Structures are given as C-alpha cells and as structure tokens.
Amino acid sequence: MTKNYIEWKSNYSNNFVSMNKLEQLDVDIKTVEQVIQKYPMKLNSYYLNLIKKKNDPIWKQCIPDLKELTDTRGDTDPLKEDQYSPVQGLVHRYPDRVLLLVSNKCAMYCRFCTRKRNVGKKYTSISEGNFKKAIKYIESHKEIRDVIISGGDPLLLDDARLENYIKNVRKINHVEIIRIDSRIPCTFPQRITLDLCNMLKKYPPIYFLTHFNHPREVTEEAKNACEMLVESGVVMGNQSVLLKGVNDDSKTLMKLNHELLKCRVRPYYLYIPDAVCGTAHFCVSIEKALKIMEEMFGFTSGLAVPRLIIDLVDGGGKIPLCPNSIVERVDNKYIFKNFEGKKFTYNEN
Ligand SMILES: *Cc1c(COP(=O)(O)O)cnc(C)c1O
Ligand code: SF4
C-alpha cells in the first residue's frame, strides 16, 4: 500500500464529526438523532468547517433537518431507476449510455440526495458476480458508447478496485467514453491523490463530472483537486442541484460557475431537485428556475451557464428547460426577445 493511500484513508476515517462537535455549533442534537434514524448522516470536519453560521448554504446541505421527516409528498424512487435496471447495479434508461452504480457510500450524505433511499443505508457495493453480468450486458449491447461510473461515490473505493472497473469497461471496443460521477472534489478533496490521477491517466478519454453547489465550496483544496484531475487528462464538468436557500439566485450561481471555470471545470447541468421523499424543503419552482436562467444567459460567458434539467417522475427522463425567447411567430416571421428584453424580428426564407 502506498503512502498516498494510507494518507487519504486515515484522513477519511479520522475526520468524521461527532455529536459533541455538532453541539458546539448549536445544532439541535435531539432533532439530528431523530432524523438520522431514517436518513443517516455523514459529515467530515473538512466540509463542516465551511459552515460560517447556522442555516447557511453549507449547513443546509449537510445538517439533518426535521423537515426531512414531515415531507408527505414524493416517492422514494421517482426516476424509476430500479425499473430500468437489467442487471443489479446497472441502469439502462437511454439508448447509448448506461449508469454503473458501484457503491452506495459517499464521503458525505447530502440532505437533498436523489438516492436518499440507498445512500448510507446498509453498505453495498457491486458484487463481483453482478459486475461480471454488467460487463456482459454492455458487451452484448453494441449501442452503448458511454458508461457512467456512479454510486454513491465511486471514489470511496480504493484505487485498485476502481481501476479494475475502469479497465474492464475500457476493454469493450464499442465503449467510446467513460464518465466518473463523484462529489469527492467538493466534499473530500484530500481523496484526489497523485496515485489516483496517475491511474486515471491510463484510460482516456475519461469525463469527470463533479458536483459543487455553492461558491464557498470552491476552496483552495477543492481547486487543487480539480487542477490535479485536469492535469491527469480528464475533462471536468460540474452538475449542480438548484436548492432553495442554497443557490437559488443567479448571483450565487454565476459566482460558483466563474470559480469553477477558473480551475477548468465546465458547468454542465443544473438540476431542478427531484421529487424525492424527504427533500421537499429544497424545492425551487420551475418558474423561478427559468427566471434565474434568464438572468444568466447573455449576461455572462456561455461557458458559465449550465443547462437547466428536470428529471421527470415515473422515469420520463431528463428534459432540458430553456427560457422562451420566441415572443411571436407569424408564418416565416419570428419575433425574438434578446437578453436585454429588446425585441427583434427575424424572417426565415
Ligand atoms: C442522467 C443519466 C444519464 C446521463 O445523461 P446525460 O444527459 O447523457 O448526462 C444516463 N443514464 C441515466 C439513468 C441517467 O439518469
Ligand atoms: S454525494 Fe451525491 S450520491 Fe452521495 S449523498 Fe451527496 S448527492 Fe447523494
């Protein structure tokens, strides 16, 4: 075992936050104890130290809230991922790409998580048998050209195990790209080691989609982790969730996206929160979300504007949402509204 490995492992294991520490922060321990019976908590000192005051955007993402228990709405699996799973651990919902769910562990349990039904519950990672079945399935479906390694967080596996998964997927000729979905650069950047980067370097092209929601999460450590990944040749993208009281205003989102672009992470998707039981207090309306998009388009670099996505209930899939810029259409004449609200006519031949 290398020094790198021992360091991230011991850092990971020694930094969980105790109830004592939470009490000092004025967290209501009784509430926490009640909530975590249903939805577990995991929190490390690195992320906890980003909190500046009670109920701030960092707090809301990681401290259990009584509202999680009073949410009467919602399904535990609105995306019907379990229904689109031909092999345990594999989700095949779209024609040319699959999700490979390798473990249900994360460095932190985000209170708004879509996979709240799984994460933090009894630990499961994909068994060797199921992994083999998943590989067979991908091999026999020539249309699959994009394999997304996700979880939980795949980076909580050690390098050797992760490499074994990547290597076996890479061997399949028709798989063109591999994606890794991980919130680790944001919640536990110490995990991004040189060993890991040197391993990833061997299997291009890899797209690495991470998950930052607030500019205060883009710390020196996080920036460094992203830079190291970029240096290893992966292409970095970010998926945020639009969360009430966390980042539901254009100013915060633009600041976040500018910080990410500075460390070569390109904003990819901005999700309307899924209708998952226990997360209603994070909901942002579609109307508000579209307004936020309008306040960004044209006002900042296109690179800093992610695509707004709603993932429909009952497994309808992802739908891109865009503010409507066509005000009127008469035959081949269109009237557009530009980002400043001015109207322009366009005649199509
Ligand atoms: C989101 C998702 C994908 C990836 O979708 P992209 O739009 O290509 O990023 C693939 N499979 C499932 C089941 C998903 O939920
Ligand atoms: S890191 Fe991702 S999968 Fe894990 S709890 Fe947070 S949002 Fe859910």
Side-chain angles (χ1 to χ4, degrees):
M1 256 181 251
T2 67
K3 183 168 157 283
N4 254 329
Y5 175 75
I6 292 165
E7 273 177 9
W8 85 254
K9 266 292 193 205
S10 72
N11 195 326
Y12 174 70
S13 324
N14 295 330
N15 276 292
F16 292 123
V17 171
S18 65
M19 288 293 176
N20 252 343
K21 181 87 192 272
L22 285 184
E23 218 156 14
Q24 290 162 23
L25 265 174
D26 193 22
V27 174
D28 179 14
I29 299 298
K30 272 221 178 85
T31 302
V32 170
E33 280 172 345
Q34 205 181 336
V35 176
I36 63 178
Q37 293 193 10
K38 185 151 188 213
Y39 303 116
M41 172 182 75
K42 185 151 82 173
L43 186 49
N44 60 35
S45 1
Y46 166 78
Y47 196 83
L48 190 81
N49 284 336
L50 304 181
I51 294 179
K52 281 194 188 148
K53 59 175 199 280
K54 193 166 182 159
N55 280 322
D56 76 4
I58 306 292
W59 170 299
K60 286 191 168 144
Q61 292 185 66
C62 66
I63 306 285
D65 191 312
L66 206 53
K67 295 192 198 90
E68 294 174 42
L69 298 180
T70 54
D71 180 4
T72 52
R73 158 222 79 136
D75 193 341
T76 54
D77 178 21
L79 309 187
K80 298 288 171 271
E81 285 184 334
D82 295 344
Q83 201 172 302
Y84 285 100
S85 179
V87 173
Q88 207 187 349
L90 196 74
V91 186
H92 194 183
R93 173 67 188 89
Y94 299 99
D96 69 344
R97 54 211 188 277
V98 289
L99 272 185
L100 184 60
L101 306 172
V102 293
S103 114
N104 68 344
K105 233 191 202 184
C106 304
M108 166 175 123
Y109 297 138
C110 313
R111 307 319 300 172
F112 54 84
C113 181
T114 290
R115 303 212 178 97
K116 228 173 154 76
R117 70 183 189 285
N118 279 338
V119 293
K121 300 293 166 71
K122 191 171 166 291
Y123 173 59
T124 50
S125 60
I126 193 166
S127 67
E128 205 161 313
N130 280 333
F131 179 68
K132 282 196 178 127
K133 278 189 210 157
I135 290 290
K136 277 230 166 72
Y137 180 91
I138 301 170
E139 275 171 349
S140 62
H141 287 77
K142 297 270 190 291
E143 69 277 17
I144 298 171
R145 39 161 295 286
D146 178 0
V147 175
I148 304 160
I149 302 180
S150 182
D153 202 309
L155 289 202
L156 279 189
L157 302 176
D158 55 48
D159 294 355
R161 185 136 172 225
L162 187 63
E163 177 163 17
N164 177 45
Y165 294 152
I166 296 177
K167 195 196 284 174
N168 278 288
V169 173
R170 209 4 115 226
K171 276 189 200 146
I172 305 171
N173 270 330
H174 57 268
V175 174
E176 296 168 1
I177 62 171
I178 294 175
R179 285 197 240 181
I180 294 177
D181 261 7
S182 163
R183 206 181 177 195
I184 286 262
C186 171
T187 52
F188 180 46
Q190 297 76 10
R191 167 67 182 98
I192 308 302
T193 60
L194 264 182
D195 283 349
L196 173 74
C197 292
N198 286 333
M199 184 274 280
L200 295 176
K201 211 180 241 171
K202 294 192 271 177
Y203 304 97
I206 293 181
Y207 287 74
F208 192 113
L209 290 175
T210 187
H211 175 178
F212 288 84
N213 290 327
H214 192 275
R216 266 183 21 224
E217 293 169 339
V218 192
T219 61
E220 284 310 309
E221 289 97 326
K223 280 185 201 165
N224 187 41
C226 294
E227 288 283 355
M228 280 171 71
L229 285 164
V230 171
E231 295 295 335
S232 81
V234 307
V235 180
M236 294 284 292
N238 186 61
Q239 320 200 63
S240 299
V241 185
L242 186 58
L243 300 166
K244 186 173 174 179
V246 173
N247 59 6
D248 57 338
D249 65 278
S250 53
K251 215 171 129 221
T252 304
L253 283 175
M254 281 199 271
K255 174 83 179 139
L256 166 67
N257 292 330
H258 293 160
E259 288 305 311
L260 290 171
L261 286 175
K262 275 159 50 186
C263 45
R264 292 183 276 180
V265 179
R266 162 80 157 98
Y268 175 55
Y269 282 164
L270 174 65
Y271 289 98
I272 303 262
D274 294 323
V276 173
C277 187
T279 64
H281 54 299
F282 287 109
C283 265
V284 178
S285 70
I286 292 180
E287 194 182 341
K288 178 155 191 199
L290 285 169
K291 187 152 179 299
I292 291 172
M293 294 305 289
E294 258 176 1
E295 289 168 2
M296 297 197 287
F297 271 128
F299 291 100
T300 188
S301 325
L303 284 169
V305 185
R307 197 174 318 158
L308 179 65
I309 298 284
I310 184 162
D311 217 334
L312 290 183
V313 288
D314 286 329
K318 295 185 176 71
I319 308 275
L321 295 171
C322 199
N324 192 6
S325 51
I326 301 176
V327 183
E328 201 186 325
R329 179 191 169 179
V330 182
D331 300 327
N332 67 345
K333 193 173 100 176
Y334 288 82
I335 299 175
F336 287 110
K337 185 178 72 178
N338 81 349
F339 71 103
E340 294 154 313
K342 290 183 191 144
K343 288 184 183 164
F344 293 85
T345 307
Y346 174 81
N347 285 301
E348 214 169 35
N349 293 325

